[in-house]
Amino acid sequence: MIGYGNSMFLATHGILARAASGGGFDPDAQAFITAAGITNPTQQGAINTLVVALKGYNIWTKFKAIYPIVGGIASSHAVNLKTPGTFNLTFATGWTHSATGMQSNTATFSNTFLNMSTQIASVNNWAAGFYSNLWVSGNVDMGADTFTGNFYFTSKSPNLFGGNNARFQFNDAVQFADTTGTGFYLGTRNSSTNGKGYKNGVEVANLTNSNAGSFANLNVYLGALNRNGTASYSTNVRYAFWFIANASFNPTEQANFYTAVQAYQTTLSRQV
Amino acid sequence: MEGRIVTNQQAQELQGVFFDADTFFNFVQDINDVYFLFLSEQDEADIAPTEYAYLLDIPLSPYVPKPSPPFSPTE
């Protein structure tokens, strides 16, 4: 029944779907559904289930921005689920928007207007990532950089790193093997000496260093790197989810997050 | 990859200009510093009813990208 989420999934994972008072959606889910103009019942239900799951896993408050990329058009894909109207995306020409996500073209990008140097409280406590379901050519999937490190995240990028290699960068880069270029990628800095990268809930990268560096005083771009104010290294990848969080994820939290996001993508029939 | 060639003046005047609430024109220079505009089908549909519809009349031309600069200071 619309408004009660995927009760079987949530019950299985010990999280009961709850309805907002009056039997409607979770209020944060409803706010997004309204702002993004989502009218499809399956999509509405998927959003509600996602929000309920994130709250049930006690990770909802970590996020600064969540872009669930639902609705199939630019105006819907632009909306920030966490706080609709704040850090909404804008798109350079060239994105292909569809029910399966938003696909770049090697010459475009999206602006989050989220400047991590002012929005993330600590360089030692944050996370970011994305879900991709089609890889054509890789480059930088997201980031903001002043050519001295900072933050970026790349899935499979033979153009940049040769072979099937990917990287998560927070001052120092940690490289990991990535043969598909698709899936759920999460990078997190969890202390002054450690950061980790995960793909599909599994740790793929571990970085131990004592210098987390600093965030560039630039907005994070999606589908490309914001390098000194210029979009660079644009990908040709289709994305179905993005997030930036003002807190790190421990192994259990990132696994739960992946479970929720994968269920969301499966409901929308665009999972990998 | 193909795109629409525009003049330097067109690129400078329209770079960053929004043609609807969410999407703005973005021009990319090719290997010869010629400005190109790449539009998705949705972009074209959204531009068609606007004052910028003339851009859709520009024929498509092959695009050769600039070589990527070194990714990091050490590469």
Side-chain angles (χ1 to χ4, degrees):
Chain A
M1 181 179 203
I2 294 173
Y4 291 90
N6 185 333
S7 58
M8 179 175 290
F9 155 73
L10 294 171
T12 299
H13 291 78
I15 301 168
L16 296 179
R18 62 173 176 82
S21 69
F25 294 129
D26 173 278
D28 289 296
Q30 183 61 64
F32 172 84
I33 288 167
T34 300
I38 305 300
T39 58
N40 178 284
T42 299
Q43 294 172 358
Q44 291 177 338
I47 286 294
N48 187 64
T49 299
L50 174 68
V51 173
V52 171
L54 297 180
K55 291 182 177 180
Y57 288 132
N58 292 315
I59 60 176
W60 172 256
T61 57
K62 291 179 181 286
F63 297 100
K64 273 287 186 181
I66 302 172
Y67 306 106
I69 313 303
V70 61
I73 57 177
S75 59
S76 297
H77 292 174
V79 180
N80 175 9
L81 168 62
K82 183 68 193 302
T83 50
T86 302
F87 306 128
N88 277 9
L89 302 176
T90 61
F91 304 100
T93 38
W95 287 96
T96 297
H97 297 276
S98 69
T100 48
M102 51 187 271
Q103 185 171 351
S104 46
N105 69 348
T106 73
T108 190
F109 66 101
S110 178
N111 190 345
T112 67
F113 297 95
L114 197 160
N115 184 328
M116 296 175 82
S117 72
T118 60
Q119 296 300 321
I120 306 299
S122 170
V123 295
N124 295 318
N125 189 25
W126 60 276
F130 57 91
Y131 189 104
S132 58
N133 56 22
L134 176 67
W135 185 94
V136 178
S137 64
N139 253 319
V140 179
D141 298 281
M142 63 187 306
D145 172 83
T146 56
F147 209 44
T148 58
N150 309 126
F151 160 65
Y152 65 79
F153 206 154
T154 79
S155 54
K156 184 173 74 169
S157 301
N159 175 54
L160 294 179
F161 313 125
N164 293 326
N165 290 311
R167 280 191 189 174
F168 180 53
Q169 161 93 20
F170 36 94
N171 194 39
D172 295 324
V174 54
Q175 188 160 301
F176 57 96
D178 185 11
T179 57
T180 67
T182 59
F184 183 52
Y185 296 83
L186 183 154
T188 184
R189 182 81 190 185
N190 49 44
S191 75
S192 61
T193 57
N194 184 253
K196 291 188 183 294
Y198 297 89
K199 180 177 175 180
N200 295 336
V202 176
E203 182 180 321
V204 294
N206 182 61
L207 177 63
T208 300
N209 68 2
S210 60
N211 179 11
S214 61
F215 295 121
N217 185 16
L218 298 165
N219 294 335
V220 173
Y221 284 177
L222 308 180
L225 174 66
N226 182 354
R227 173 155 280 176
N228 290 318
T230 299
S232 310
Y233 306 100
S234 176
T235 64
N236 187 338
V237 172
R238 189 172 65 212
Y239 302 96
F241 194 92
W242 307 85
F243 74 95
I244 298 173
N246 192 26
S248 60
F249 285 73
N250 65 36
T252 299
E253 291 170 334
Q254 68 82 28
N256 289 338
F257 186 20
Y258 169 61
T259 297
V261 172
Q262 186 66 2
Y264 170 73
Q265 304 297 348
T266 301
T267 299
L268 298 178
S269 301
R270 60 187 201 184
Q271 78 281 10
V272 291
Chain B
M1 185 172 178
E2 293 186 321
R4 291 173 167 86
I5 293 176
V6 301
T7 65
N8 289 1
Q9 182 177 357
Q10 287 176 313
Q12 289 165 13
E13 288 179 351
L14 295 179
Q15 177 64 39
V17 171
F18 284 82
F19 55 85
D20 63 22
D22 311 293
T23 310
F24 57 92
F25 290 112
N26 182 56
F27 300 90
V28 179
Q29 289 180 292
D30 75 349
I31 195 169
N32 297 312
D33 290 330
V34 174
Y35 281 102
F36 276 74
L37 176 64
F38 301 99
L39 301 175
S40 65
E41 289 184 7
Q42 183 177 357
D43 291 336
E44 292 176 346
D46 292 340
I47 289 170
T50 73
E51 62 188 286
Y52 309 108
Y54 65 91
L55 294 169
L56 303 180
D57 296 328
I58 301 172
L60 296 176
S61 300
Y63 165 79
V64 178
K66 289 178 181 287
S68 295
F71 184 63
S72 74
T74 59
E75 291 182 13

